[in-house]
Amino acid sequence: MSSLDGLDITTAGLAQSAANFPAPSGLFPLSAAQRGIWFAQHLLDDMPITIAQYVEFTDLDLDVDLLEEIGSIALRELGTGILRIVERDGEPFQVIDESFGSEWIHRDFRSEDDPQAAARAWMRAEYSTPIDLLGDRLIRSAMLRLADNHYLWYSRIHHIALDGFGAMTFMNRVAELYTAGVEARDPARFQASSLREIVEDEARYRTSSRFEKDRQHWSERSRDFPHPISLAGRAASPSLPSRVISTPLPPATDAAVQRLLGMQPGASFATAAVAATAA
């Protein structure tokens, strides 16, 4: 995932102006968060602002064809898999393009000396490639084969189309659809709101009295906040690929974290790590 550390973009009022701009038929405005990403991408030029992830399948009788089929279904349900960004008179809009078909990439790394390393290198190169918001597909999925029963399901999507919560919603829906398909039963009805509904809800909120009350409340609460704490002490420009350094936790620390998670049903290691860093 690309980083926007040090980049400050004010989006207050952007959704308001977008909501009031007359959208051509079939198009609807970007949300405030999307417009922030839109401007950020223009400022960062060739730095793709993407969410990239993979799911590893090992020692599992994976039905690759079924996974690809339901992955495409889930993306259409969300709308993000067939989302396009267009410009009208210099203003960005989005449209759900039903003409988009499925696009899956297949790569076989079984003949490589180190299939895992080769697959990781391919993914790094893919999510580091610049994206044309107006011309390129915003999402790409790939099935990478490392061994006869070892796969990596990779997906990359531009942050203007999906955020972290949306990515989690997508993955959960894929798991739900895949399980239903394997068990030959109908899946539960998809409950998430459409992209258009989300934008319309935000526009209504930003013209409501509640929005003004919330603005006053948080302006007052944040007035005396100290400057953000940084682990680095200096800023740097975003870069790709991300630098990842890892090391095992000491056994005592790992045991303490597991005890903490045991006291908080539903908590994850990521939750504890973020809370510890903030503290």
Side-chain angles (χ1 to χ4, degrees):
M1 181 184 298
S2 59
S3 172
L4 290 180
D5 293 343
L7 184 62
D8 182 17
I9 296 179
T10 301
T11 59
L14 293 178
Q16 181 74 28
S17 63
N20 294 332
F21 196 92
S25 177
L27 307 184
F28 56 101
L30 306 186
S31 68
Q34 286 177 305
R35 287 175 70 84
I37 296 295
W38 168 264
F39 288 114
Q41 186 61 87
H42 281 69
L43 291 173
L44 293 175
D45 195 22
D46 290 339
M47 177 68 62
I49 306 174
T50 59
I51 295 176
Q53 60 185 7
Y54 70 85
V55 177
E56 185 169 15
F57 299 95
T58 57
D59 300 322
L60 177 70
D61 187 16
L62 179 67
D63 188 332
V64 175
D65 292 337
L66 176 61
L67 180 62
E68 292 185 6
E69 178 184 353
I70 58 94
S72 298
I73 292 174
L75 285 172
R76 295 184 76 87
E77 286 182 333
L78 281 169
T80 54
I82 51 177
L83 180 70
R84 287 199 301 115
I85 305 297
V86 299
E87 276 190 356
R88 291 295 183 271
D89 298 327
E91 284 286 328
F93 290 92
Q94 55 190 328
V95 60
I96 304 300
D97 190 345
E98 296 290 346
S99 68
F100 267 171
S102 299
E103 183 184 65
W104 282 77
I105 297 172
H106 290 263
R107 291 289 186 272
D108 193 334
F109 295 97
R110 286 179 291 179
S111 62
E112 299 286 344
D113 293 337
D114 188 339
Q116 186 89 23
R120 288 178 179 271
W122 184 91
M123 290 187 288
R124 283 196 300 271
E126 204 289 322
Y127 72 69
S128 302
T129 301
I131 297 174
D132 179 357
L133 285 179
L134 299 178
D136 295 336
R137 291 187 69 115
L138 300 179
I139 186 168
R140 172 166 285 183
S141 296
M143 189 62 68
L144 313 179
R145 193 170 191 178
L146 279 61
D148 290 348
N149 59 347
H150 188 182
Y151 294 89
L152 301 182
W153 170 33
Y154 166 82
S155 59
R156 181 271 299 156
I157 191 165
H158 197 282
H159 204 9
I160 201 170
L162 201 68
D163 59 10
F165 181 79
M168 181 180 66
T169 301
F170 166 66
M171 298 304 293
N172 288 339
R173 182 57 174 170
V174 168
E176 186 176 51
L177 290 173
Y178 184 85
T179 301
V182 170
E183 297 176 353
R185 58 175 175 80
D186 292 332
R189 190 171 69 88
F190 189 54
Q191 299 291 333
S193 299
S194 69
L195 291 174
R196 183 184 288 272
E197 289 172 335
I198 293 172
V199 171
E200 291 174 348
D201 286 345
E202 181 187 58
R204 283 191 292 269
Y205 167 67
R206 286 179 171 270
T207 56
S208 68
S209 59
R210 177 186 163 201
F211 176 77
E212 291 302 324
K213 291 179 180 177
D214 289 346
R215 184 205 296 273
Q216 294 175 8
H217 171 80
W218 289 109
S219 295
E220 185 66 29
R221 286 290 302 272
S222 61
R223 180 176 299 169
D224 298 322
F225 277 4
H227 291 295
I229 298 173
S230 172
L231 298 177
R234 60 190 178 91
S237 299
S239 64
L240 281 176
S242 303
R243 298 179 183 177
V244 179
I245 301 175
S246 61
T247 186
L249 286 176
T253 303
D254 182 57
V257 172
Q258 295 305 321
R259 287 195 300 271
L260 175 63
L261 297 180
M263 296 185 292
Q264 302 291 332
S268 65
F269 177 82
T271 305
V274 171
T277 301

